[in-house]
């Protein structure tokens, strides 16, 4: 098959758009989608100047998504002094898994001459995920602890690094899966929370986040997972692909299979889910806004919470660590 843009040999067929693309045209199409998302989300603060640039902290795990996001943003803004990119890597303490992906992050940061910060659960909380998974004092899946700890560190360090935006590498499949899972839970707060994709919204407990956290963005959310992987491969990026040994989101796995099947039979399903869902999330966020109770501060860390101790501090203490 020939590339529909330039006639060279095609390397891929995008069923949802009908296009066959060669490697170069495919890479350009990925880059274009990321740039359009950055533009449409109004990510670059118009008051940013070379002397006072917008600082974007990218959650860099070393997996293909965050590596591709970092590379595309770097190439896009390399010659624009109004944006300063910083890579932030969280080491959870997972033997044989995170060490290798941290190597990928270090390699990428060196290649791109990017500022890179590494934060570990062990230094921050005095725990490693391998021990948490083995002890499991709350009887939960490892990811249920890990997600809370990671989000806390990303937000806290983004803030410490003076971030204006916190960017993560969620792709179209991740987003469509989360949308469907939130919808199936039947809780409007869960739906509203998704609105944070467009810079402003709700945290995991359905509270407004605008004033309390660094705004989030997901510029890769229009690019399907397979295309992110192909981009990383074609552009020879140092992405780490093994799966975490504690990966345990069984429900997400079911949703993933369901969506892949739907996409195969009805190309474009993921895109249409997200098109409708973002509007739904915004409407849900609007209707919940103002209804949130006043928040107290966590006794341990001062984070906003409606309990005496926030979820993160509660879990860190439960696994025998030190939240402060
Ligand atoms: Fe943590 Fe789960 Fe991700 Fe492993 S798969 S790094 S346990 S959130
Ligand atoms: Zn082409
Ligand atoms: Zn706390």
């Amino acid at each position: 098959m020939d590339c529909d843009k330039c006639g060279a040999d095609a390397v891929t067929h995008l069923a949802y758009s009908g296009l066959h693309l060669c490697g170069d045209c495919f890479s350009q199409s990925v880059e274009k989608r990321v740039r359009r998302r950055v533009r449409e989300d109004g990510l670059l603060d118009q008051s940013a100047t070379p002397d006072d640039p917008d600082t974007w902290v990218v959650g860099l795990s070393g997996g293909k998504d965050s590596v591709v996001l970092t590379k595309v943003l770097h190439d896009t803004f390399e010659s624009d002094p109004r944006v300063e990119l910083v890579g932030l890597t969280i080491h959870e303490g997972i033997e044989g898994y995170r060490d290798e992906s941290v190597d990928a992050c270090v390699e990428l940061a060196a290649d791109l001459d990017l500022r890179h910060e590494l934060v570990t659960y062990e230094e921050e909380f005095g725990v490693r995920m391998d021990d948490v998974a083995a002890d499991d004092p709350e009887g939960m899946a490892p990811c249920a602890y890990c997600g809370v700890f990671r989000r806390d560190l990303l937000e806290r360090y983004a803030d410490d690094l003076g971030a204006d935006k916190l960017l993560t590498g969620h792709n179209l499949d991740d987003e469509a899966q989360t949308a469907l899972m939130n919808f199936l839970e039947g809780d409007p707060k869960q739906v509203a929370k998704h609105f944070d994709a467009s810079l402003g919204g709700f945290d995991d407990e359905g509270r407004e986040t605008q004033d309390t956290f660094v705004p989030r963005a997901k510029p890769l959310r229009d690019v399907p997972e397979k295309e992110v992987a192909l981009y990383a491969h074609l552009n020879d990026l140092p992405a780490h692909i093994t799966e975490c040994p504690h990966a345990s989101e069984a429900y997400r796995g079911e949703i993933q299979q369901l969506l892949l099947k739907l996409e195969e039979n009805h190309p474009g399903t993921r895109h249409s889910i997200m098109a409708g869902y973002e509007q739904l999330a915004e409407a849900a966020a609007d209707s919940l806004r103002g209804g949130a109770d006043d928040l107290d501060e966590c006794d341990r860390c001062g984070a906003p919470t409606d309990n005496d101790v926030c979820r993160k501090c509660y879990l860190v203490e439960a696994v025998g660590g030190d939240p402060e």
Side-chain angles (χ1 to χ4, degrees), residues 272-294:
S272 57
I273 288 179
M274 290 320 295
Y277 192 75
E278 286 187 3
Q279 289 177 30
L280 210 63
E282 193 173 345
D286 274 349
S287 82
L288 289 170
R289 218 179 286 282
D293 300 333
D294 281 345

PDB file of all heavy atoms in Angstrom, residues 272-294:
ATOM      1  N   SER A 272     -15.237   9.002  19.360  1.00  0.00           N
ATOM      2  CA  SER A 272     -16.587   9.511  19.622  1.00  0.00           C
ATOM      3  C   SER A 272     -16.912   9.445  21.114  1.00  0.00           C
ATOM      4  O   SER A 272     -17.598  10.321  21.637  1.00  0.00           O
ATOM      5  CB  SER A 272     -17.638   8.817  18.761  1.00  0.00           C
ATOM      6  OG  SER A 272     -17.606   7.438  18.975  1.00  0.00           O
ATOM      7  N   ILE A 273     -16.404   8.425  21.811  1.00  0.00           N
ATOM      8  CA  ILE A 273     -16.615   8.396  23.273  1.00  0.00           C
ATOM      9  C   ILE A 273     -16.067   9.678  23.883  1.00  0.00           C
ATOM     10  O   ILE A 273     -16.729  10.356  24.654  1.00  0.00           O
ATOM     11  CB  ILE A 273     -15.896   7.188  23.930  1.00  0.00           C
ATOM     12  CG1 ILE A 273     -16.610   5.892  23.571  1.00  0.00           C
ATOM     13  CG2 ILE A 273     -15.836   7.355  25.460  1.00  0.00           C
ATOM     14  CD1 ILE A 273     -15.941   4.657  24.159  1.00  0.00           C
ATOM     15  N   MET A 274     -14.852  10.038  23.490  1.00  0.00           N
ATOM     16  CA  MET A 274     -14.208  11.193  24.122  1.00  0.00           C
ATOM     17  C   MET A 274     -14.869  12.509  23.728  1.00  0.00           C
ATOM     18  O   MET A 274     -14.974  13.421  24.544  1.00  0.00           O
ATOM     19  CB  MET A 274     -12.710  11.239  23.791  1.00  0.00           C
ATOM     20  CG  MET A 274     -11.922  10.134  24.451  1.00  0.00           C
ATOM     21  SD  MET A 274     -12.419   9.783  26.139  1.00  0.00           S
ATOM     22  CE  MET A 274     -11.990  11.317  26.968  1.00  0.00           C
ATOM     23  N   ALA A 275     -15.331  12.591  22.476  1.00  0.00           N
ATOM     24  CA  ALA A 275     -15.969  13.840  22.045  1.00  0.00           C
ATOM     25  C   ALA A 275     -17.191  14.112  22.917  1.00  0.00           C
ATOM     26  O   ALA A 275     -17.384  15.219  23.435  1.00  0.00           O
ATOM     27  CB  ALA A 275     -16.363  13.750  20.582  1.00  0.00           C
ATOM     28  N   GLY A 276     -18.022  13.094  23.119  1.00  0.00           N
ATOM     29  CA  GLY A 276     -19.219  13.292  23.926  1.00  0.00           C
ATOM     30  C   GLY A 276     -18.882  13.429  25.394  1.00  0.00           C
ATOM     31  O   GLY A 276     -19.476  14.224  26.117  1.00  0.00           O
ATOM     32  N   TYR A 277     -17.883  12.671  25.824  1.00  0.00           N
ATOM     33  CA  TYR A 277     -17.587  12.605  27.256  1.00  0.00           C
ATOM     34  C   TYR A 277     -17.037  13.928  27.791  1.00  0.00           C
ATOM     35  O   TYR A 277     -17.350  14.333  28.908  1.00  0.00           O
ATOM     36  CB  TYR A 277     -16.579  11.491  27.508  1.00  0.00           C
ATOM     37  CG  TYR A 277     -16.428  11.157  28.949  1.00  0.00           C
ATOM     38  CD1 TYR A 277     -17.408  10.423  29.604  1.00  0.00           C
ATOM     39  CD2 TYR A 277     -15.326  11.581  29.675  1.00  0.00           C
ATOM     40  CE1 TYR A 277     -17.284  10.116  30.934  1.00  0.00           C
ATOM     41  CE2 TYR A 277     -15.199  11.278  31.008  1.00  0.00           C
ATOM     42  CZ  TYR A 277     -16.174  10.548  31.640  1.00  0.00           C
ATOM     43  OH  TYR A 277     -16.059  10.250  32.953  1.00  0.00           O
ATOM     44  N   GLU A 278     -16.234  14.596  26.985  1.00  0.00           N
ATOM     45  CA  GLU A 278     -15.671  15.860  27.477  1.00  0.00           C
ATOM     46  C   GLU A 278     -16.769  16.889  27.713  1.00  0.00           C
ATOM     47  O   GLU A 278     -16.727  17.644  28.678  1.00  0.00           O
ATOM     48  CB  GLU A 278     -14.587  16.371  26.522  1.00  0.00           C
ATOM     49  CG  GLU A 278     -13.345  15.507  26.695  1.00  0.00           C
ATOM     50  CD  GLU A 278     -12.122  15.985  25.927  1.00  0.00           C
ATOM     51  OE1 GLU A 278     -12.204  17.050  25.283  1.00  0.00           O
ATOM     52  OE2 GLU A 278     -11.103  15.281  25.977  1.00  0.00           O
ATOM     53  N   GLN A 279     -17.759  16.893  26.831  1.00  0.00           N
ATOM     54  CA  GLN A 279     -18.887  17.815  27.039  1.00  0.00           C
ATOM     55  C   GLN A 279     -19.691  17.426  28.268  1.00  0.00           C
ATOM     56  O   GLN A 279     -20.097  18.268  29.066  1.00  0.00           O
ATOM     57  CB  GLN A 279     -19.812  17.802  25.823  1.00  0.00           C
ATOM     58  CG  GLN A 279     -19.191  18.475  24.618  1.00  0.00           C
ATOM     59  CD  GLN A 279     -20.095  18.387  23.398  1.00  0.00           C
ATOM     60  OE1 GLN A 279     -21.313  18.355  23.531  1.00  0.00           O
ATOM     61  NE2 GLN A 279     -19.490  18.323  22.237  1.00  0.00           N
ATOM     62  N   LEU A 280     -19.886  16.128  28.405  1.00  0.00           N
ATOM     63  CA  LEU A 280     -20.630  15.619  29.553  1.00  0.00           C
ATOM     64  C   LEU A 280     -19.903  15.978  30.857  1.00  0.00           C
ATOM     65  O   LEU A 280     -20.507  16.417  31.834  1.00  0.00           O
ATOM     66  CB  LEU A 280     -20.691  14.098  29.419  1.00  0.00           C
ATOM     67  CG  LEU A 280     -21.879  13.374  29.991  1.00  0.00           C
ATOM     68  CD1 LEU A 280     -23.136  13.819  29.272  1.00  0.00           C
ATOM     69  CD2 LEU A 280     -21.693  11.849  29.790  1.00  0.00           C
ATOM     70  N   ALA A 281     -18.577  15.800  30.843  1.00  0.00           N
ATOM     71  CA  ALA A 281     -17.777  16.071  32.036  1.00  0.00           C
ATOM     72  C   ALA A 281     -17.842  17.552  32.396  1.00  0.00           C
ATOM     73  O   ALA A 281     -17.946  17.923  33.575  1.00  0.00           O
ATOM     74  CB  ALA A 281     -16.329  15.644  31.806  1.00  0.00           C
ATOM     75  N   GLU A 282     -17.816  18.395  31.382  1.00  0.00           N
ATOM     76  CA  GLU A 282     -17.864  19.832  31.638  1.00  0.00           C
ATOM     77  C   GLU A 282     -19.218  20.212  32.242  1.00  0.00           C
ATOM     78  O   GLU A 282     -19.294  20.983  33.200  1.00  0.00           O
ATOM     79  CB  GLU A 282     -17.627  20.594  30.333  1.00  0.00           C
ATOM     80  CG  GLU A 282     -17.343  22.054  30.572  1.00  0.00           C
ATOM     81  CD  GLU A 282     -16.934  22.788  29.299  1.00  0.00           C
ATOM     82  OE1 GLU A 282     -16.604  22.114  28.293  1.00  0.00           O
ATOM     83  OE2 GLU A 282     -16.956  24.022  29.332  1.00  0.00           O
ATOM     84  N   ALA A 283     -20.288  19.644  31.673  1.00  0.00           N
ATOM     85  CA  ALA A 283     -21.623  19.931  32.187  1.00  0.00           C
ATOM     86  C   ALA A 283     -21.750  19.429  33.624  1.00  0.00           C
ATOM     87  O   ALA A 283     -22.293  20.110  34.509  1.00  0.00           O
ATOM     88  CB  ALA A 283     -22.681  19.282  31.304  1.00  0.00           C
ATOM     89  N   ALA A 284     -21.216  18.234  33.888  1.00  0.00           N
ATOM     90  CA  ALA A 284     -21.289  17.674  35.244  1.00  0.00           C
ATOM     91  C   ALA A 284     -20.476  18.551  36.199  1.00  0.00           C
ATOM     92  O   ALA A 284     -20.902  18.831  37.326  1.00  0.00           O
ATOM     93  CB  ALA A 284     -20.754  16.245  35.249  1.00  0.00           C
ATOM     94  N   ALA A 285     -19.306  19.021  35.739  1.00  0.00           N
ATOM     95  CA  ALA A 285     -18.461  19.878  36.581  1.00  0.00           C
ATOM     96  C   ALA A 285     -19.191  21.172  36.901  1.00  0.00           C
ATOM     97  O   ALA A 285     -19.202  21.633  38.046  1.00  0.00           O
ATOM     98  CB  ALA A 285     -17.137  20.162  35.870  1.00  0.00           C
ATOM     99  N   ASP A 286     -19.839  21.759  35.886  1.00  0.00           N
ATOM    100  CA  ASP A 286     -20.591  23.014  36.096  1.00  0.00           C
ATOM    101  C   ASP A 286     -21.692  22.830  37.121  1.00  0.00           C
ATOM    102  O   ASP A 286     -21.895  23.655  37.994  1.00  0.00           O
ATOM    103  CB  ASP A 286     -21.242  23.463  34.776  1.00  0.00           C
ATOM    104  CG  ASP A 286     -20.279  24.280  33.953  1.00  0.00           C
ATOM    105  OD1 ASP A 286     -19.222  24.653  34.504  1.00  0.00           O
ATOM    106  OD2 ASP A 286     -20.574  24.523  32.773  1.00  0.00           O
ATOM    107  N   SER A 287     -22.401  21.715  37.006  1.00  0.00           N
ATOM    108  CA  SER A 287     -23.539  21.544  37.902  1.00  0.00           C
ATOM    109  C   SER A 287     -23.090  21.209  39.324  1.00  0.00           C
ATOM    110  O   SER A 287     -23.823  21.448  40.278  1.00  0.00           O
ATOM    111  CB  SER A 287     -24.518  20.510  37.354  1.00  0.00           C
ATOM    112  OG  SER A 287     -24.073  19.232  37.671  1.00  0.00           O
ATOM    113  N   LEU A 288     -21.879  20.693  39.475  1.00  0.00           N
ATOM    114  CA  LEU A 288     -21.402  20.372  40.830  1.00  0.00           C
ATOM    115  C   LEU A 288     -20.657  21.542  41.465  1.00  0.00           C
ATOM    116  O   LEU A 288     -20.507  21.608  42.677  1.00  0.00           O
ATOM    117  CB  LEU A 288     -20.451  19.172  40.783  1.00  0.00           C
ATOM    118  CG  LEU A 288     -21.098  17.826  40.486  1.00  0.00           C
ATOM    119  CD1 LEU A 288     -20.021  16.776  40.236  1.00  0.00           C
ATOM    120  CD2 LEU A 288     -21.992  17.392  41.638  1.00  0.00           C
ATOM    121  N   ARG A 289     -20.185  22.445  40.623  1.00  0.00           N
ATOM    122  CA  ARG A 289     -19.378  23.557  41.113  1.00  0.00           C
ATOM    123  C   ARG A 289     -20.147  24.359  42.160  1.00  0.00           C
ATOM    124  O   ARG A 289     -21.331  24.599  42.018  1.00  0.00           O
ATOM    125  CB  ARG A 289     -19.024  24.488  39.958  1.00  0.00           C
ATOM    126  CG  ARG A 289     -17.636  25.040  40.046  1.00  0.00           C
ATOM    127  CD  ARG A 289     -17.375  25.913  38.846  1.00  0.00           C
ATOM    128  NE  ARG A 289     -17.163  25.150  37.626  1.00  0.00           N
ATOM    129  CZ  ARG A 289     -16.018  24.534  37.336  1.00  0.00           C
ATOM    130  NH1 ARG A 289     -14.998  24.592  38.152  1.00  0.00           N
ATOM    131  NH2 ARG A 289     -15.891  23.870  36.217  1.00  0.00           N
ATOM    132  N   GLY A 290     -19.436  24.729  43.204  1.00  0.00           N
ATOM    133  CA  GLY A 290     -20.108  25.518  44.233  1.00  0.00           C
ATOM    134  C   GLY A 290     -20.744  24.624  45.278  1.00  0.00           C
ATOM    135  O   GLY A 290     -20.976  25.030  46.401  1.00  0.00           O
ATOM    136  N   GLY A 291     -20.998  23.361  44.912  1.00  0.00           N
ATOM    137  CA  GLY A 291     -21.620  22.463  45.869  1.00  0.00           C
ATOM    138  C   GLY A 291     -20.614  21.811  46.803  1.00  0.00           C
ATOM    139  O   GLY A 291     -20.964  21.174  47.780  1.00  0.00           O
ATOM    140  N   ALA A 292     -19.318  21.984  46.480  1.00  0.00           N
ATOM    141  CA  ALA A 292     -18.299  21.316  47.297  1.00  0.00           C
ATOM    142  C   ALA A 292     -18.232  21.943  48.693  1.00  0.00           C
ATOM    143  O   ALA A 292     -18.330  23.150  48.841  1.00  0.00           O
ATOM    144  CB  ALA A 292     -16.947  21.422  46.605  1.00  0.00           C
ATOM    145  N   ASP A 293     -18.073  21.115  49.697  1.00  0.00           N
ATOM    146  CA  ASP A 293     -17.977  21.629  51.065  1.00  0.00           C
ATOM    147  C   ASP A 293     -16.635  22.323  51.250  1.00  0.00           C
ATOM    148  O   ASP A 293     -15.688  22.064  50.538  1.00  0.00           O
ATOM    149  CB  ASP A 293     -18.029  20.460  52.064  1.00  0.00           C
ATOM    150  CG  ASP A 293     -19.319  19.698  51.916  1.00  0.00           C
ATOM    151  OD1 ASP A 293     -20.314  20.310  51.477  1.00  0.00           O
ATOM    152  OD2 ASP A 293     -19.314  18.484  52.211  1.00  0.00           O
ATOM    153  N   ASP A 294     -16.581  23.195  52.252  1.00  0.00           N
ATOM    154  CA  ASP A 294     -15.294  23.794  52.568  1.00  0.00           C
ATOM    155  C   ASP A 294     -14.357  22.710  53.059  1.00  0.00           C
ATOM    156  O   ASP A 294     -14.752  21.815  53.800  1.00  0.00           O
ATOM    157  CB  ASP A 294     -15.462  24.845  53.682  1.00  0.00           C
ATOM    158  CG  ASP A 294     -16.012  26.125  53.082  1.00  0.00           C
ATOM    159  OD1 ASP A 294     -15.976  26.253  51.847  1.00  0.00           O
ATOM    160  OD2 ASP A 294     -16.481  26.977  53.859  1.00  0.00           O
TER     161      ASP A 294
END
